[in-house]
Amino acid sequence: MKTYLVTGAAGFIGANYLKYILAKHDDIRVVVLDALTYAGNLGTIAKDIDNERCFFVRGDITNQELVDRLFGEYKFDYIVNFAAESHVDRSIENPQLFLMTNILGTQNLLDAARRAWVTGKDEHGYPTWRKGVRFHQVSTDEVYGSLDENGYFTEETPLCPHSPYSASKTGADMIVMAYFDTYKMPVTITRCSNNYGPYHFPEKLIPLIIKNILEGKKLPVYGDGSNVRDWLYVDDHCKAIDMVVNKGTNGEVYNVGGHNEKTNLEIVKLTIATIHKLMSDQPEYRNVLKKKVKNEDGTLSIDWINDDLISFVKDRLGHDQRYAIDPTRISEALGWTPETMFEEGIVKTIEWYLNNQEWVNEVTSGDYQKYYDEMYLKR
Ligand code: NAD
Ligand code: TDX
């Protein structure tokens, strides 16, 4: 039986990953470590925490004493590090927090693992490691910087981050690789493109657009909307991480992406059209609308759900133009392929939000409105 430490599993991808591995593997035990920042929600994973196979600890990955104690209490085999400050716009406002969590938090976890897992030294002075252990870092394609209209990021693309967020993730990746080179620590890294799916916090493009449409608010598109992102359904990312954790090669980086490039404007228009179609085909979904406009016959109108909601606003500082991933390595080495086509995934995602408005209300009940006003009213 393998024991996992999964950090950041009360957030978007970590929660989906937790559900994925608990469903996939009977013979595992998982400890979740999460600080429950604004982006973490215990309700998302409450049903998964049974105190038999899955345990929850509220705490900060930068806390050395806490992380050492957890390593002593549970004999972890795998560390999967999702915990991070993850929003580019917030990193532009407060870079320091990003460096603390994303770089120093990763270093703290690496050092705790080193203290727990090193068994001795080899003849060259390199540490020897407990068999079957691994530290997996969940990284991002943003570490490679930005592409013009041609080409793809491969694992050999030079690291060239632009935002404080992506620079902090690059710093973390470089520390992870330094521990492989210096200590021969068993590590792997995945670098994934933009994820979408259930439990995505509504500060990120797709869930923010869905939320605003339901409220009848304007849809803020940065700049001219021509920036391109490569979208991947979150379960496909979880599958990739599961494969790398269990079958990856130490010291290797794996790019993960679904060859699904779309401009932001395309994404916003597709979201508008999909919500309109779902509410047209299944009128009961209109009850979810917070903006209530009545037709003459008393039913709720959806005529106003159209592209006129789009509002072009001031661009993000240092906005990366295009991301696109070449996933050849993970496909050839581990047989990974994405399973969910975008056309299917976006409908599944929107339906999930329409059916889970309580979750949206819960995660946006705190400082969300303040954040929204500060971030968008000045644009
Ligand atoms: P998220 O912001 O939704 O969740 C982050 C989680 O980490 C939250 O539960 C939060 O409470 C927790 N956390 C934050 N700081 C912490 C700390 N100091 N100690 C312990 N827990 C802390 O993020 P996400 O979108 O799920 O991203 C997860 C990981 O995947 C991140 O490392 C991110 O860089 C990476 N990633 C995200 C995407 C994407 O499209 N969202 C794409 C590629 C890579
Ligand atoms: O209101 C908005 N309007 C808008 O036009 C928001 C929130 C975003 N955008 C644009 C900016 C980006 O070009 O949409 C695109 C996607 O933005 P985000 O959802 O903020 O994602 P991005 O900046 O691409 O980063 C995401 O993918 C890589 C995650 O947040 C990162 O954690 C991950 O590493």
Side-chain angles (χ1 to χ4, degrees):
M1 188 185 72
K2 294 283 189 188
T3 300
Y4 290 59
L5 174 63
V6 181
T7 70
F12 166 44
I13 307 175
N16 279 285
Y17 173 77
L18 180 70
K19 292 172 195 298
Y20 181 92
I21 57 171
L22 287 173
K24 174 143 192 237
H25 305 286
D26 291 330
D27 55 338
I28 62 169
R29 193 165 67 137
V30 186
V31 177
V32 172
L33 173 62
D34 197 299
L36 299 181
T37 68
Y38 78 92
N41 183 270
L42 196 49
T44 305
I45 53 169
K47 290 202 176 109
D48 304 296
I49 301 159
D50 59 4
N51 292 318
E52 284 180 20
R53 297 175 70 213
C54 182
F55 304 82
F56 179 79
V57 179
R58 182 174 189 174
D60 199 308
I61 58 166
T62 61
N63 183 335
Q64 182 178 329
E65 194 195 321
L66 170 67
V67 175
D68 274 340
R69 181 164 63 70
L70 293 179
F71 267 90
E73 232 167 276
Y74 304 92
K75 225 171 149 249
F76 296 125
D77 301 287
Y78 295 148
I79 317 299
V80 186
N81 184 27
F82 290 93
E85 287 294 333
S86 70
H87 192 33
V88 173
D89 291 330
R90 287 183 192 256
S91 82
I92 295 168
E93 301 299 318
N94 182 10
Q96 189 177 31
L97 178 61
F98 283 69
L99 271 62
M100 297 289 288
T101 293
N102 299 359
I103 301 180
L104 295 180
T106 302
Q107 168 262 320
N108 188 46
L109 293 170
L110 286 164
D111 279 337
R114 206 153 64 87
R115 284 188 286 274
W117 288 345
V118 168
T119 53
K121 270 188 192 163
D122 71 10
E123 69 275 22
H124 306 291
Y126 284 107
T128 51
W129 296 83
R130 216 178 85 202
K131 289 268 173 298
V133 295
R134 164 160 293 157
F135 184 100
H136 181 73
Q137 177 70 1
V138 180
S139 185
T140 167
D141 57 358
E142 299 199 16
V143 301
Y144 297 120
S146 182
L147 296 163
D148 55 24
E149 61 274 20
N150 299 310
Y152 295 93
F153 297 133
T154 72
E155 291 81 358
E156 272 65 52
T157 303
L159 303 182
C160 184
H162 298 126
S163 73
Y165 161 72
S166 54
S168 70
K169 292 295 288 185
T170 307
D173 280 16
M174 295 186 89
I175 300 284
V176 171
M177 290 315 294
Y179 279 47
F180 175 72
D181 293 336
T182 307
Y183 309 117
K184 296 200 186 303
M185 185 166 180
V187 301
T188 42
I189 296 177
T190 41
R191 295 189 180 133
C192 189
S193 57
N194 285 59
N195 285 214
Y196 69 101
Y199 305 111
H200 204 179
F201 191 77
E203 65 184 351
K204 308 284 169 54
L205 181 65
I206 290 179
L208 184 133
I209 293 302
I210 298 172
K211 184 173 187 299
N212 281 16
I213 292 175
L214 300 183
E215 292 174 5
K217 285 191 184 151
K218 286 286 177 194
L219 310 180
V221 173
Y222 298 168
D224 61 3
S226 68
N227 303 68
V228 172
R229 297 293 181 264
D230 184 359
W231 295 92
L232 184 71
Y233 193 66
V234 63
D235 274 357
D236 285 322
H237 186 191
C238 296
K239 179 172 99 167
I241 296 172
D242 183 56
M243 285 177 154
V244 171
V245 167
N246 286 287
K247 299 192 290 182
T249 300
N250 288 333
E252 198 77 287
V253 173
Y254 298 90
N255 282 354
V256 184
H259 278 307
N260 186 71
E261 293 177 50
K262 297 243 182 294
T263 66
N264 295 335
L265 195 54
E266 283 174 315
I267 290 287
V268 174
K269 287 186 171 180
L270 195 60
T271 305
I272 296 169
T274 308
I275 291 184
H276 191 280
K277 178 158 191 339
L278 281 167
M279 292 195 170
S280 176
D281 293 350
Q282 298 169 70
E284 62 277 15
Y285 274 140
R286 298 181 194 194
N287 295 328
V288 168
L289 289 170
K290 297 211 169 88
K291 173 171 166 173
K292 312 243 183 234
V293 179
K294 293 254 172 85
N295 293 314
E296 275 178 8
D297 63 1
T299 57
L300 286 175
S301 165
I302 52 170
D303 293 348
W304 55 272
I305 303 181
N306 59 48
D307 291 354
D308 291 344
L309 290 171
I310 293 171
S311 163
F312 292 95
V313 298
K314 205 163 116 235
D315 209 352
R316 175 183 279 174
L317 302 181
H319 199 174
D320 285 338
Q321 181 55 36
R322 174 173 167 255
Y323 304 144
I325 281 272
D326 176 354
T328 305
R329 176 178 288 168
I330 190 167
S331 301
E332 288 183 353
L334 303 178
W336 177 85
T337 48
E339 283 168 25
T340 306
M341 291 296 103
F342 188 78
E343 292 62 30
E344 178 199 340
I346 191 69
V347 175
K348 261 167 64 170
T349 302
I350 292 173
E351 283 187 312
W352 187 89
Y353 278 91
L354 295 180
N355 291 321
N356 288 276
Q357 282 296 296
E358 266 178 34
W359 181 88
V360 176
N361 295 337
E362 195 183 325
V363 301
T364 54
S365 62
D367 279 345
Y368 181 85
Q369 196 53 48
K370 191 165 159 254
Y371 162 81
Y372 191 87
D373 292 345
E374 277 171 11
M375 199 59 87
Y376 290 94
L377 294 186
K378 70 183 179 198
R379 279 188 185 272

